[in-house]
């Protein structure tokens, strides 16, 4: 019976408790607090099971889980976690179980009668990294590449949907293209992370045209997760305006000082540019403007500035500016309560 198990834990105050419980359950441990050393074991040495502490420094459970499933998909992978909601761990690559912390020997899975992986894995260079984000989340893929300090370009939709540049596991540049809206940096990363499904490939590294990520990969993923909530709110805001003003020809939301909007509907990019230009022109003569309704020879434009320099803009056929402004103001008021 193979009783060897890899334990990954970087928190010293948790390590002893976990090791004692796993040993009592019959496991022969290879404990790692260094993420690179743990990954090297997964890639090159035999093991019968993996136990990963939920609280890690410089790595994530998702990254190790993705690597484990890629290298040896039949080897059990268990997460050691405090009581709480762990549904995020079950989204795509599900662990074989969650062991409550502090663990006791009775709650820990026992060694199986034979190792399910008793030889080193095949050379990973020979295994193509490609697939669909419905089967491997982009966040897990990025964390996996970061763990192994890999360099490459992750393309989504053959690069027409998105491109993610990493050098030595560090994110450098991200591009996301959705219709007429192109975003870069952490905001683009957030958009790519919530794509329902897309083809991906990991291609050889090439230097990006510019650098738009200036924080660590872990920090970028964390900030992108925060922005996802903001993007969901923006989408709901645009949908509310579309329902309230079906005649709108363009709707956009974003930061008043940004070069481009955060999200658009129809010809929203043009609407946002017109709104920002109009507010900038008025600022010279009347100062800060929070609500704006104007008519041109071709169309009506309305804009509402709210919160921390957020801007909601819409255009409609000529003669509808006041009605459009009322709709924008009502939607903003409702979403802020």
């Amino acid at each position: 019976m193979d009783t060897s198990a890899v334990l990954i834990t970087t928190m010293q105050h948790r390590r002893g408790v976990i090791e004692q419980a796993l040993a009592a359950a019959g496991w022969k441990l290879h404990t790692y607090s260094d993420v690179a050393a743990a990954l090297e074991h997964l890639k090159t040495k035999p093991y019968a099971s993996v136990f990963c502490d939920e609280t890690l420094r410089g790595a994530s459970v998702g990254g190790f889980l993705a690597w484990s499933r890629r290298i040896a998909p039949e080897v059990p992978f268990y997460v050691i976690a405090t009581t709480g909601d762990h549904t995020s761990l079950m989204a795509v690559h599900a662990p074989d179980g969650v062991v409550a912390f502090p663990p006791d020997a009775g709650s820990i899975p026992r060694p199986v009668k034979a190792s399910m992986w008793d030889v080193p894995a095949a050379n990973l260079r020979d295994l193509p990294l490609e697939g669909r984000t419905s089967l491997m989340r982009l966040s897990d893929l990025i964390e996996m590449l970061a763990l192994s300090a890999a360099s490459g370009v992750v393309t989504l939709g053959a690069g027409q949907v998105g491109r993610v540049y990493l050098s030595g596991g560090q994110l450098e540049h991200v591009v996301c293209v959705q219709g007429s809206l192109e975003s870069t940096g952490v905001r683009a990363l957030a958009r790519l992370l919530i794509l329902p499904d897309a083809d991906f490939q990991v291609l050889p590294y090439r230097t990006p045209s510019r650098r738009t990520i200036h924080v660590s990969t872990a920090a970028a993923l964390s900030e992108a997760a925060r922005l996802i909530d903001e993007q969901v709110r923006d989408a709901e805001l645009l949908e509310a305006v579309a329902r309230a003003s079906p005649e709108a020809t363009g709707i956009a939301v974003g930061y008043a000082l940004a070069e481009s909007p955060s999200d658009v509907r129809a010809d929203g990019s043009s609407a946002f540019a017109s709104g920002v230009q109009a507010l900038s022109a008025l600022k010279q003569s009347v100062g800060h403007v929070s609500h704006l309704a104007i008519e041109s020879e071709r169309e009506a434009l309305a804009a509402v500035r709210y919160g921390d320099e957020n801007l909601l803009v819409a255009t409609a056929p000529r003669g509808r500016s006041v009605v459009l402004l009322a709709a924008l103001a009502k939607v903003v008021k409702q979403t802020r309560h």
Side-chain angles (χ1 to χ4, degrees):
M1 178 186 293
D2 189 343
T3 62
S4 62
V6 174
L7 169 62
I8 306 162
T9 176
T10 62
M11 308 297 285
Q12 289 300 317
H13 68 284
R14 293 168 66 101
R15 175 173 176 165
V17 175
I18 296 172
E19 285 183 321
Q20 184 176 1
L22 290 177
W27 290 103
K28 179 182 177 181
L29 296 176
H30 302 275
T31 304
Y32 294 96
S33 57
D34 179 78
V35 296
L39 179 59
E40 186 64 20
H41 189 128
L42 295 186
K43 292 163 64 175
T44 63
K45 299 177 182 179
Y47 52 94
S49 189
V50 179
F51 292 89
C52 185
D53 193 1
E54 66 166 346
T55 306
L56 299 175
R57 291 194 181 101
S60 72
V61 173
F64 277 112
L65 181 52
W67 264 117
S68 181
R69 290 294 187 247
R70 176 169 166 75
I71 297 168
E74 299 304 319
V75 172
F77 188 106
Y78 302 102
V79 178
I80 301 170
T82 52
T83 302
D85 180 13
H86 304 293
T87 55
S88 62
L89 297 173
M90 311 296 179
V92 178
H93 288 294
D96 294 273
V98 177
V99 178
F101 180 88
D104 61 80
S107 66
I108 295 172
R110 301 284 173 160
V112 293
K113 62 182 178 180
S115 171
M116 287 182 275
W117 186 69
D118 56 7
V119 295
N123 189 341
L124 292 177
R125 297 175 187 271
D126 299 331
L127 299 177
L129 263 175
E130 59 182 28
R132 299 191 66 83
T133 56
S134 59
L135 300 177
M136 174 179 279
R137 291 184 298 188
L138 179 60
S139 59
D140 288 347
L141 175 61
I142 292 172
E143 289 176 337
M144 188 176 84
L145 296 172
L147 273 173
S148 57
S151 298
V153 181
V154 181
T155 64
L156 293 99
Q160 300 303 306
V161 174
R163 300 181 298 280
V164 179
Y165 296 76
L166 297 100
S167 177
Q170 173 60 50
L171 281 170
E172 293 185 324
H173 180 49
V174 181
V175 180
C176 177
V177 181
Q178 293 178 309
S180 63
L181 184 62
E182 179 175 313
S183 53
T184 60
V186 176
R187 185 168 294 278
L189 179 60
R191 292 188 182 282
L192 294 178
L193 291 180
I194 58 173
L195 287 177
D197 191 21
D199 292 313
F200 74 79
Q201 286 184 304
V202 180
L203 303 179
Y205 176 77
R206 63 173 59 184
T207 304
S209 58
R210 57 179 172 141
R211 183 161 188 166
T212 56
I213 303 289
H214 302 282
V215 296
S216 69
T217 298
L221 287 168
S222 178
E223 176 63 11
R226 186 193 68 79
L227 286 177
I228 287 173
D229 293 334
E230 181 181 302
Q231 290 177 0
V232 170
R233 290 193 297 269
D234 286 347
E236 292 174 348
L237 198 66
L238 296 185
E239 293 302 323
V241 174
R243 289 193 300 269
S245 303
E247 73 275 18
T249 56
I251 313 169
V253 63
Y255 292 107
L257 303 178
E259 296 180 0
S260 59
S262 300
D263 202 355
V264 300
R265 294 293 182 275
D267 193 18
S269 296
S270 296
F272 189 81
S274 298
V276 170
Q277 184 178 11
L279 289 170
S280 297
L282 285 170
K283 187 175 181 180
Q284 302 298 323
S285 56
V286 299
H288 183 87
V289 175
S290 62
H291 291 64
L292 173 68
I294 57 177
E295 299 277 348
S296 70
E297 294 181 357
R298 298 183 296 106
E299 63 181 4
L301 181 143
V304 174
R305 196 196 305 255
Y306 64 97
D308 186 19
E309 290 298 319
N310 296 303
L311 185 63
L312 180 61
V313 185
T315 53
R318 179 174 164 76
R320 303 291 293 172
S321 61
V322 175
V323 174
L324 192 59
L325 177 61
L328 296 186
K330 182 178 180 180
V331 167
V332 168
K333 183 177 180 181
Q334 289 175 338
T335 56
R336 293 177 67 186
H337 291 287

